[in-house]
Amino acid sequence: MSIQRVILADFYQQAPQYYHATFDHLSHTKAVYGKTIPVALLKNIYLVDSKDNRLANIREDTYIDQDGNPIIADHCWVQLNQAWFNLPHELLQGDEIYFKAEVEQYNITRDDLAKKRKLIWEKAKQLNDGIYSAWQGSKHMYHGVQYQSAYEQMRSHIQANNEMARLQQQNIPMVDYTLTDLSDIQVIKYLNHTERRIKYNYKQYLKQHLKYSGWLVARSKSFTQTGRVF
């Protein structure tokens, strides 16, 4: 499956949609401005309506999960916000939720995409070098107006190749997409992991920030490793 969540791009700068997802675990990431923030890993994400009814495939090339169901992203990292902290109990791996969210675009650095872009330009340069070499070998045949016309045609051909290469590069965008501004989060299924579930505390998060969210992350990861929370 593609690392990029390309189907989410269809909903970028569009009205918020409802999504269904399976929770995996919590972690931390650094935002663009350098601040460390808590995030949640959601998997097998698909579109639903406001009552959590699965919507029909939006595209013929939609992804298919391991159970044969259509999804629009295999995973997304989403930022924890107040709506998340208002959940009745903490989420553990395998729990399912649905929620309303917008799609956010962000820049990425990926060697494979950079190499594809570079290869496009190298091919255009190779083609243009051939065109210029051919011109160099035949320019002595032209004189006056013919010379100027042939020269302009050669330059126009090279320029057209460069413009085509730029368009092809733009079709390999160095961006990715995720979900943001989650709201109306509803728990659809808690797996049968009842031992020592806690309730998230937004006031405690505001007071202790990374100390508290780090503790939540540790609980979340301990469950994914052992099946139990400390």
Side-chain angles (χ1 to χ4, degrees):
M1 181 174 295
S2 172
I3 296 176
Q4 286 186 293
R5 281 146 285 275
V6 291
I7 298 180
L8 280 181
D10 293 346
F11 301 96
Y12 178 57
Q13 296 183 327
Q14 301 299 315
Q17 304 283 331
Y18 279 92
Y19 302 88
H20 183 114
T22 300
F23 175 77
D24 193 81
H25 69 275
L26 301 180
S27 187
H28 284 105
T29 190
K30 285 189 176 181
V32 175
Y33 43 84
K35 183 179 180 181
T36 300
I37 56 175
V39 290
L41 176 59
L42 302 180
K43 293 187 172 182
N44 293 338
I45 302 160
Y46 58 85
L47 280 169
V48 294
D49 62 18
S50 60
K51 303 297 183 182
D52 193 41
N53 297 307
R54 183 190 286 267
L55 298 182
N57 291 4
I58 58 170
R59 286 173 31 166
E60 291 183 359
D61 60 344
T62 190
Y63 300 134
I64 302 298
D65 67 13
Q66 60 186 6
D67 296 322
N69 297 316
I71 58 177
I72 62 171
D74 63 335
H75 75 280
C76 278
W77 289 97
V78 300
Q79 182 176 345
L80 271 62
N81 57 11
Q82 186 170 358
W84 186 279
F85 283 99
N86 288 337
L87 286 169
H89 296 95
E90 71 175 327
L91 297 180
L92 299 176
Q93 188 179 51
D95 293 340
E96 295 184 35
I97 60 174
Y98 83 99
F99 52 89
K100 195 174 186 180
E102 297 181 7
V103 173
E104 178 182 37
Q105 182 187 81
Y106 60 95
N107 294 328
I108 59 174
T109 301
R110 277 181 44 195
D111 290 342
D112 61 329
L113 298 182
K115 288 179 180 178
K116 287 181 180 180
R117 282 187 164 195
K118 183 178 179 181
L119 182 60
I120 289 172
W121 194 253
E122 287 177 347
K123 287 182 176 180
K125 184 179 183 303
Q126 184 178 14
L127 181 60
N128 289 338
D129 287 346
I131 293 171
Y132 185 75
S133 294
W135 156 254
Q136 287 288 82
S138 62
K139 65 180 182 179
H140 67 278
M141 300 170 55
Y142 305 103
H143 303 281
V145 175
Q146 285 185 333
Y147 179 94
Q148 186 63 31
S149 176
Y151 176 79
E152 293 297 334
Q153 287 181 4
M154 180 271 295
R155 296 298 302 168
S156 178
H157 197 172
I158 289 177
Q159 183 177 0
N161 288 339
N162 288 340
E163 290 176 355
M164 178 61 69
R166 292 189 185 96
L167 288 174
Q168 291 174 344
Q169 286 180 324
Q170 290 174 8
N171 289 329
I172 307 176
M174 299 289 280
V175 296
D176 206 342
Y177 300 86
T178 190
L179 299 172
T180 187
D181 295 332
L182 275 65
S183 62
D184 194 19
I185 305 174
Q186 305 291 325
V187 179
I188 294 302
K189 180 173 69 175
Y190 285 120
L191 290 188
N192 191 26
H193 310 309
T194 57
E195 62 273 20
R196 305 183 67 180
R197 279 188 191 262
I198 62 166
K199 177 169 173 49
Y200 297 126
N201 190 321
Y202 187 62
K203 290 183 178 180
Q204 190 172 353
Y205 170 66
L206 292 178
K207 182 178 180 180
Q208 296 184 298
H209 191 53
L210 291 180
K211 183 177 180 180
Y212 178 64
S213 62
W215 180 70
L216 293 178
V217 167
R219 285 178 59 85
S220 172
K221 290 184 176 179
S222 72
F223 182 82
T224 63
Q225 295 168 0
T226 66
R228 298 181 63 85
V229 292
F230 58 77

